[in-house]
């Protein structure tokens, strides 16, 4: 399954402009044969927008979800994107996956909030594994800091995730996460990981780019630089099956020894 990674910070503070950026990227991705387009964490609104987070937050089935469903249907590919989700008076840092026919497939709320900024603006989610099927693959959702917890990713591996989609807002000086940790997570859990970042200066944060699609062999199939970029790479089910046979981490686990971890 060809997967497109949209490395961009869009236009912080403007939902309308970010929908235009997403529409244009979806057109390019679909023309290149992609079945899935992934946008970064909080792509719909921007990340470092302070009090505007609560003002711009929308329900999972809100107007922007409808607009993105129209984009997926028109271009014929699925889209995963980050956004601030409003549920009553509560705001979550969320990621939603919408299918190529406009169906809302999955919605995930970030479970591990990073730093005071996020804890000031969001409530953490409570469901660690959220999945849906896209083109015959089991796609899991996670957001940024979540992938840095090995237990989180292992839970996805045990639940059968083939491709873990991680919209992110990875900032300086933590670029080693994109460069080193993400490929290791893919290898130790025998899955593909699509890690899709923001770029440039935004408020107090400098986002480092370096988006990647890492394979189960720990090799990045595609790697973006530090600027705005659309990168493409393939998720190969046959390669995934062969790698899992050659690297049987999940079969060789001894869960009875791990009780102290919890």
């Amino acid at each position: 399954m060809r997967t497109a990674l949209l490395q961009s910070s869009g236009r912080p503070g403007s939902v309308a402009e970010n929908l235009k950026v997403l529409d244009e990227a979806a057109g390019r991705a679909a023309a290149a044969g992609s079945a899935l387009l992934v946008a970064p964490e909080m792509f719909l609104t921007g990340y470092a927008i302070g009090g505007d987070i609560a003002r711009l937050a929308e329900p999972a089935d809100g107007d922007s979800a409808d607009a993105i469903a129209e984009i997926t249907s028109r271009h014929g590919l699925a889209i995963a994107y980050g956004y601030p989700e409003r549920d009553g008076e509560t705001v979550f840092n969320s990621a939603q996956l919408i299918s190529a026919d406009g169906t809302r497939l999955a919605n995930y709320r970030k479970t591990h909030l990073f730093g005071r900024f996020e804890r000031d603006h969001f409530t953490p989610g409570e469901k660690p594994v959220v999945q849906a099927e896209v083109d015959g693959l089991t796609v899991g959702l996670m957001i940024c800091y979540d992938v840095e917890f090995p237990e989180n990713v292992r839970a996805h591996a045990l639940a059968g995730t083939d491709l873990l989609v991680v919209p992110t807002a990875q900032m300086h000086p933590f670029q080693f996460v994109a460069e080193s940790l993400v490929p290791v997570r893919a290898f130790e859990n025998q899955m593909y990981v699509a890690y899709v970042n923001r770029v440039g200066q935004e408020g107090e944060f400098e986002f480092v780019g370096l988006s990647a699609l890492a394979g189960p062999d720990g090799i990045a199939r595609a790697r973006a630089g530090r600027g705005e970029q659309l990168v493409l790479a393939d998720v190969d089910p046959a390669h995934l099956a062969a790698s899992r046979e050659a690297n049987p981490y999940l079969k060789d686990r001894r869960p009875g020894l791990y009780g102290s971890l919890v």
Side-chain angles (χ1 to χ4, degrees), residues 103-133:
T103 302
R104 293 174 49 245
L105 294 177
N107 189 71
Y108 170 78
R109 295 166 172 175
K110 189 173 186 178
T111 54
H112 296 77
L113 301 180
F114 179 77
R116 182 172 179 177
F117 178 84
E118 291 191 7
R119 290 193 291 270
D120 283 348
H121 292 287
F122 300 108
T123 296
E126 297 296 332
K127 188 174 182 180
V129 177
V130 173
Q131 300 167 310
E133 185 173 303

Side-chain angles (χ1 to χ4, degrees), residues 30-230:
S34 299
L36 173 65
L37 171 67
V38 184
E41 180 176 5
M42 292 285 287
F43 182 77
L44 184 63
T45 61
Y47 181 92
I49 57 173
D52 282 345
I53 289 174
R55 181 178 65 83
L56 296 175
E58 297 185 24
D61 60 354
D63 290 345
S64 292
D66 289 343
I68 293 171
E70 190 278 328
I71 291 171
T72 68
S73 299
R74 181 156 38 83
H75 293 294
L77 83 172
I79 293 178
Y81 65 99
Y83 75 108
E85 178 194 355
R86 176 171 294 284
D87 185 354
E89 295 303 309
T90 305
V91 177
F92 299 95
N93 183 337
S94 296
Q96 182 150 233
L97 174 63
I98 298 180
S99 75
D101 66 3
T103 302
R104 293 174 49 245
L105 294 177
N107 189 71
Y108 170 78
R109 295 166 172 175
K110 189 173 186 178
T111 54
H112 296 77
L113 301 180
F114 179 77
R116 182 172 179 177
F117 178 84
E118 291 191 7
R119 290 193 291 270
D120 283 348
H121 292 287
F122 300 108
T123 296
E126 297 296 332
K127 188 174 182 180
V129 177
V130 173
Q131 300 167 310
E133 185 173 303
V134 178
D135 263 27
L137 292 170
T138 300
V139 176
L141 294 173
M142 195 173 279
I143 300 173
C144 197
Y145 193 39
D146 291 328
V147 81
E148 298 177 38
F149 292 82
E151 302 90 343
N152 252 23
V153 187
R154 180 52 53 91
H156 268 274
L158 294 173
T161 293
D162 299 314
L163 168 62
L164 184 62
V165 168
V166 189
T168 191
Q170 182 63 64
M171 57 198 69
H172 178 81
F174 305 111
Q175 50 265 32
F176 68 89
V177 173
E179 294 170 336
S180 302
L181 186 147
V182 167
V184 169
R185 287 286 179 271
F187 179 71
E188 68 189 5
N189 291 288
Q190 288 300 293
M191 61 174 61
Y192 284 87
V193 178
Y195 187 79
V196 186
N197 201 9
R198 305 179 68 83
V199 291
Q201 195 74 33
E202 193 176 328
E204 63 185 287
F205 306 111
E206 179 190 348
F207 298 114
V208 299
L210 302 175
S211 300
L213 180 69
D217 52 7
I219 297 172
R221 294 297 187 275
R223 169 80 69 185
R226 297 296 188 102
E228 298 216 348
Q229 195 172 349
L230 183 71

